[in-house]
Amino acid sequence: MWGGRFASGPGAIMEEINASIGFDQKLAPQDIAGSLAHVAMLAKTGIVSAADAAAISDGLKTIRGEIESGGFTFSRALEDIHMNVESRLATLVGPAAGRLHTARSRNDQVAVDFRLWVRDTLDQIDAQLRDLQKALATKALAHAGDVMPGFTHLQSAQPVTLGHHLLAYVEMFARDRGRFQDARRRLNECPLGAAALAGTSFPIDRDLTAATLGFDRPTANSLDSVSDRDFALEALAAAAITATHLSRFAEEIVLWATSQFAFASLSDKFSTGSSIMPQKRNPDAAELVRGKTGRVIGALTGLLVVMKGLPLAYSKDMQEDKEGTFDALQTLSLCLAAMTGMVEDLKPDVARLEAAAGAGFSTATDLADWLVRALGLPFRQAHHVTGRVVALAAERGVGLEDLTLEDLRAIEPGITAEVFAVLGVRNSVTSRTSYGGTAPVNVKAQAERWLGSL
């Protein structure tokens, strides 16, 4: 297809390193869509005849059907998806097929194909993130008042509610959706018509092809049009952050499912067993989500390294943009599906969570706050008094609520019996009514707000 300058074909090793059809055939729907838009524009501007344009369009639609049905044969000798489609088109419609490539290059062709694929995939990921948020918010509403330990440093800190904990991930995934939506807005410019790097002398209508393909506008600089892969980098950056959020939640599910925590369990649908230990019940779906995060982060790093030293405009190095991006975004999609399934499947042990919520003197901050409110102590003094109370309870091996009023007064004479109202975990969470706090009334309102907006 490009051999006029060459007397012979590439060597076997050159073909092996050069061919991309093994992975870029994934771009077939986008490649045909771009070609259909391009030939329609060529006809409207009079660059090709209506008859040739009609034949080309019919041929492209036939090829699309062959690919969708699995009847298309991809050839490594033809390098990539663009040449495979064009070769088949020549077989179907004859010499007219050669007019399709007028006023374009594989450089702007692959740029538009890849943008279309990333855009389509980001739309799918956004829908999956929304579904995950809905699953989390639904479970959060059901457990708005169920108490669990809140941790810092993986040590018991203060009681929270399970609903509040789950809503934290709803917020994270909302930010992820925002990043993907921002990336989509920036990528939604059409590079088709930039040709190889300098534009074209043909009287093309780039606004028409951009509109036909659903872009907001054509790209403004032909050099940047064919050499830009920011849209893939942004998508991968957003994917890496999203995968990190998924991995954090997956780690918690792994911990919760242990016999040591025993906070929640997954059914057989999301668990596996052991080939040697019959008692084992492994949360492998969560572990795989955690593990696959490395692939997503690695794809971002890989593409950054590919792009970091490239001069303008296009270089063949940029063929390395696709495999990592395809793999990372499809891996993320699979992880989102798995996590949504796990959230819906997850069965919390509410009694166990509440029992654990009081461990580690988790209501100590409530005692310090009470000393400030009721006795007017400066917070630092209240913190010191509470520390002495905790030390006494630890020495005796009891909870704060198990100390007597006399024990407490021996440390701070002003303490009254009212203090015991703040030492229970339920009293603690109920008191946290500040905006964004864990009080069940807050959690219920936030969960309902999310479910309404989602």
Side-chain angles (χ1 to χ4, degrees):
M1 305 294 285
W2 47 266
R5 169 68 174 80
F6 292 79
S8 64
I13 293 176
M14 180 60 194
E15 182 177 313
E16 183 68 26
I17 196 172
N18 189 48
S20 61
I21 189 60
F23 54 86
D24 71 12
Q25 62 183 261
K26 201 179 295 292
L27 296 175
Q30 291 79 20
D31 191 71
I32 292 172
S35 290
L36 285 168
H38 184 66
V39 74
M41 179 275 295
L42 293 176
K44 186 165 185 179
T45 55
I47 297 171
V48 302
S49 69
D52 283 345
I56 291 169
S57 295
D58 289 344
L60 289 169
K61 292 171 185 176
T62 297
I63 295 168
R64 182 172 60 194
E66 291 173 348
I67 292 173
E68 289 173 350
S69 67
F72 188 90
T73 301
F74 294 98
S75 169
R76 282 175 56 82
L78 293 169
E79 293 188 22
D80 55 31
I81 185 60
H82 323 299
M83 291 303 194
N84 269 262
V85 170
E86 189 171 333
S87 176
R88 177 61 177 151
L89 184 65
T91 301
L92 289 173
V93 306
R99 300 190 184 281
L100 172 61
H101 210 53
T102 306
R104 76 173 183 185
S105 160
R106 278 193 294 180
N107 293 355
D108 62 337
Q109 189 178 358
V110 71
V112 75
D113 291 0
F114 197 21
R115 280 184 190 244
L116 288 170
W117 187 91
V118 171
R119 189 179 71 183
D120 291 344
T121 305
L122 295 192
D123 289 343
Q124 175 188 336
I125 287 173
D126 181 73
Q128 288 185 285
L129 278 165
R130 183 184 65 242
D131 290 344
L132 176 54
Q133 286 182 292
K134 288 169 66 176
L136 285 162
T138 298
K139 188 140 289 189
L141 183 60
H143 295 282
D146 292 328
V147 182
M148 68 172 287
F151 297 98
T152 60
H153 309 279
L154 203 56
Q155 304 289 319
S156 292
Q158 292 178 267
V160 296
T161 68
L162 177 56
H164 194 57
H165 192 105
L166 296 174
L167 286 177
Y169 286 100
V170 176
E171 296 288 339
M172 290 185 210
F173 296 130
R175 293 193 296 274
D176 292 328
R177 290 183 70 191
R179 275 182 282 270
F180 282 120
Q181 289 161 4
D182 286 345
R184 190 193 192 284
R185 277 193 291 272
R186 268 184 291 278
L187 76 76
N188 208 36
E189 296 182 348
C190 184
L192 193 59
L197 76 162
T200 178
S201 59
F202 289 95
I204 61 173
D205 185 345
R206 294 192 62 206
D207 290 301
L208 176 59
T209 48
T212 301
L213 293 170
F215 289 104
D216 294 331
R217 64 193 68 85
T219 51
N221 182 284
S222 60
L223 286 166
D224 182 54
S225 299
V226 297
S227 62
D228 168 47
R229 292 299 183 269
D230 288 1
F231 63 91
L233 288 168
E234 275 201 81
L236 289 174
I241 297 171
T242 303
T244 300
H245 290 156
L246 290 172
S247 185
R248 294 182 71 181
F249 192 27
E251 169 68 3
E252 294 196 312
I253 292 174
V254 170
L255 289 173
W256 292 357
T258 62
S259 56
Q260 288 77 20
F261 273 82
F263 284 178
S265 60
L266 292 169
S267 76
D268 293 352
K269 290 194 298 183
F270 292 96
S271 305
T272 65
S274 165
S275 65
I276 189 172
M277 296 169 284
Q279 84 282 7
K280 291 296 295 296
R281 186 181 185 84
N282 301 322
D284 280 5
E287 292 173 15
L288 286 165
V289 167
R290 186 177 59 186
K292 288 178 184 294
T293 297
R295 290 170 65 169
V296 180
I297 295 171
L300 170 61
T301 303
L303 185 53
L304 284 167
V305 173
V306 166
M307 298 301 297
K308 71 176 182 62
L310 298 187
L312 294 179
Y314 181 85
S315 297
K316 195 70 170 188
D317 312 48
M318 291 166 65
Q319 184 167 291
E320 293 298 307
D321 59 359
K322 294 171 200 65
E323 283 184 281
T325 303
F326 291 160
D327 181 75
L329 295 183
Q330 290 175 329
T331 294
L332 179 63
S333 177
L334 176 60
C335 289
L336 286 167
M339 185 58 76
T340 302
M342 281 188 284
V343 168
E344 293 170 344
D345 186 72
L346 194 70
K347 184 177 180 181
D349 186 333
V350 174
R352 169 68 178 161
L353 286 166
E354 183 162 352
F361 311 110
S362 65
T363 57
T365 305
D366 297 277
L367 173 57
D369 289 345
W370 184 88
L371 292 170
V372 171
R373 287 195 310 271
L375 303 187
L377 298 184
F379 183 79
R380 286 301 168 203
Q381 183 181 347
H383 188 285
H384 180 75
V385 169
T386 301
R388 292 180 60 197
V389 172
V390 169
L392 176 62
E395 179 184 331
R396 294 187 181 177
V398 299
L400 299 182
E401 66 276 12
D402 298 317
L403 294 172
T404 66
L405 182 59
E406 289 70 27
D407 293 331
L408 298 173
R409 281 178 168 165
I411 296 171
E412 170 50 58
I415 293 177
T416 67
E418 282 73 25
V419 73
F420 292 101
V422 304
L423 295 183
V425 293
R426 287 195 167 276
N427 291 330
S428 174
V429 297
T430 300
S431 72
R432 304 289 170 183
T433 55
S434 60
Y435 181 76
T438 191
V441 64
N442 287 9
V443 175
K444 183 175 183 293
Q446 289 282 18
E448 289 174 340
R449 177 184 68 81
W450 272 115
L451 288 171
S453 67
L454 292 167

